[in-house]
């Protein structure tokens, strides 16, 4: 019988959310003692727990058929293998977590204001391939100094004039008196697959997993909204609901002028939305999470 191997990060920034997403998609695993290989009990998909940097290579070599990894790592490793990372190794679906940005940064007082100022300079980074692509696309030639950690101290150590590094809040940059100059890559975690074609059964299994993951992602953003509303304000109130289609309208026993209105909102519902609904005459407004969706 067909079984697929899915690689996720063993521990780190992507580990928890990767596993939570798979569990919400209905996958359950029997955890092994060594914690590196978990047997899939509900679907024939087994889990391999590895370092995130190894995931692209496991997929490109066909050792694993599926993997969850950051776009930054996927693109860097694909370029390393001589692939066009944007077309040759694109995610099946973006997963909306592990968001970060790969940024070009330079010392606060530096004359480097953009890519054009990098000619002949030294750039420290753990992402030589993405940095090279960035420079090539701008026709700039600079030296790349590869460091696997502590990239942000390279300028003050005199090892480089600028850096290309992952940034989430910018605190590390500020602490090292560095300022962002340009954005090199915006990244999030994605579901990736091996590039080679698989058996029809394996492809069907991948489709099933993808449909479920998309369902979970949609459900995350979807809310079920209930309220009481004046009968003569229905059109106005419906228009205030974010991403809602035709609502369900129910009569309220004993109150001829007001109705109960239920709607599925496919976009985020903020407090501002509720305040506007209330101002338009709605009351008893409830926003409920949606656990699963199958369109
Ligand atoms: P491993 O031991 O698996 O090699 P790691 O130390 O390389 O782990 P983590 O720090 O856990 O990796 O980050 C994994 C991925 O999480 C990154 O490659 C990136 O895609 C994403 N990420 C999200 N936010 C951040 C952030 N603020 N800084 C760095 N990476 C982030
Ligand atoms: Zn790593």
């Amino acid at each position: 019988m067909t079984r697929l191997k899915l690689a996720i990060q063993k521990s780190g920034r992507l580990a928890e959310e990767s596993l939570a997403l798979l569990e919400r998609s209905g996958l359950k695993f029997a955890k092994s003692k060594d914690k590196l290989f978990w047997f899939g009990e509900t679907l024939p998909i087994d889990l391999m727990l590895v370092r995130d940097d190894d995931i692209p290579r496991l997929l490109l070599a066909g050792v694993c058929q599926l993997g969850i990894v950051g776009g930054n790592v996927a693109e860097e490793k694909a370029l390393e293998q001589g692939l066009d990372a944007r077309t040759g190794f694109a995610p099946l679906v973006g997963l909306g977590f592990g968001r970060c940005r790969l940024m070009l940064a330079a010392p606060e007082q530096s004359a480097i204001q953009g890519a054009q100022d990098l000619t002949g300079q030294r750039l420290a980074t753990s992402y030589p391939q993405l940095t090279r692509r960035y420079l090539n696309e701008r026709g700039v030639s600079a030296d790349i100094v590869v460091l696997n950690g502590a990239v942000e101290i390279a300028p003050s150590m005199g090892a480089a004039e600028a850096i290309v590094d992952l940034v989430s809040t910018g605190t590390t940059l500020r602490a090292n008196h560095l300022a962002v100059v340009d954005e090199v890559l915006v990244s999030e975690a994605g579901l990736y697959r091996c590039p080679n074609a698989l058996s029809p059964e394996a492809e069907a299994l991948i489709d099933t997993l993808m449909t479920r993951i998309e369902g979970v992602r949609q459900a995350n953003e979807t809310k079920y909204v209930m309220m009481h509303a004046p009968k003569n304000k229905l059109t106005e109130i419906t228009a205030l609901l974010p991403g809602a289609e035709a609502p369900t309208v129910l009569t309220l026993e004993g109150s001829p002028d007001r109705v109960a209105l239920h709607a599925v909102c496919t976009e985020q519902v903020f407090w501002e939305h509720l305040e506007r609904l209330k101002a338009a005459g709605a009351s008893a407004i409830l926003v409920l999470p949606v656990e699963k969706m199958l369109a």
Side-chain angles (χ1 to χ4, degrees):
M1 195 172 103
T2 308
R3 296 196 73 85
L4 297 181
K5 287 197 199 76
L6 193 163
I8 64 169
Q9 190 187 27
K10 183 170 187 278
S11 65
R13 288 187 157 100
L14 303 178
E16 248 177 60
E17 287 190 85
S18 301
L19 188 59
L21 173 70
L22 296 174
E23 286 177 341
R24 286 195 67 190
S25 303
L27 277 71
K28 286 203 175 66
F29 303 97
K31 299 169 189 179
S32 74
K33 273 217 189 80
D34 63 7
K35 288 191 163 178
L36 297 178
F37 182 89
W38 295 4
F39 181 83
E41 292 181 322
T42 49
L43 282 183
I45 299 179
D46 303 321
L47 218 54
M48 283 191 64
L49 293 104
V50 297
R51 287 201 54 187
D52 68 338
D53 313 66
D54 292 334
I55 294 173
R57 221 174 306 120
L58 291 170
L59 293 172
L60 292 169
V63 176
C64 293
Q65 293 74 40
L66 294 165
I68 295 177
V69 67
N72 55 320
V73 173
E75 291 205 27
E76 176 71 17
K77 302 290 174 185
L79 288 168
E80 210 175 276
Q81 306 280 314
L83 294 170
D84 178 334
R86 293 193 183 106
T87 56
F89 195 55
L92 293 172
V93 52
L95 299 176
F97 61 86
R99 285 183 200 279
C100 54
R101 294 187 299 166
L102 193 61
M103 297 295 225
L104 170 66
E108 280 158 3
Q109 313 303 329
S110 161
I112 297 172
Q113 302 288 320
Q116 71 282 354
D117 302 324
L118 293 170
T119 305
Q121 306 288 312
R122 293 167 305 165
L123 265 171
T125 186
S126 311
Y127 295 88
Q129 303 289 339
L130 288 168
T131 302
R132 181 59 67 205
R133 182 176 77 185
Y134 171 83
L135 293 171
N136 287 348
E137 285 176 349
R138 284 155 188 80
V140 175
S141 128
D143 289 331
I144 296 175
V145 180
V146 183
L147 294 177
N148 285 318
V151 170
E152 64 282 353
I153 64 167
S156 61
M157 280 185 350
E161 282 69 45
I163 66 168
V164 170
D165 203 9
L166 284 184
V167 173
S168 51
T169 59
T171 318
T172 313
L173 287 189
R174 272 193 300 281
N176 288 283
H177 303 290
L178 298 168
V180 164
V181 175
D182 198 7
E183 189 176 87
V184 175
L185 184 83
V186 182
S187 175
E188 63 170 348
L191 178 71
Y192 289 79
R193 63 165 288 165
C194 62
N196 46 311
L198 301 168
S199 69
E201 298 79 41
E203 295 292 347
L205 198 50
I206 293 179
D207 282 346
T208 302
L209 180 65
M210 275 192 44
T211 308
R212 289 195 189 182
I213 286 179
E214 275 160 12
V216 170
R217 292 220 51 205
Q218 266 178 27
N220 280 345
E221 283 170 24
T222 302
K223 296 284 178 279
Y224 194 74
V225 180
M226 311 197 291
M227 72 196 78
H228 293 174
K231 218 172 189 170
N232 58 1
K233 291 277 188 67
L234 280 183
T235 323
E236 185 188 337
I237 284 185
T238 306
L240 289 172
L241 290 165
E245 287 183 13
T248 305
V249 178
L250 307 161
T251 45
L252 283 173
E253 199 55 37
S255 68
D257 302 335
R258 291 179 77 74
V259 290
L261 186 151
H262 294 190
V264 174
C265 291
T266 56
E267 290 162 30
Q268 270 199 65
V269 181
F270 295 107
W271 280 109
E272 287 73 14
H273 291 121
L274 305 191
E275 285 153 8
R276 275 180 231 131
L277 288 168
K278 188 161 188 265
S283 61
I285 309 170
L286 288 181
V287 180
L288 306 173
V290 172
E291 194 183 275
K292 292 187 179 69
M293 274 183 84
L294 194 61

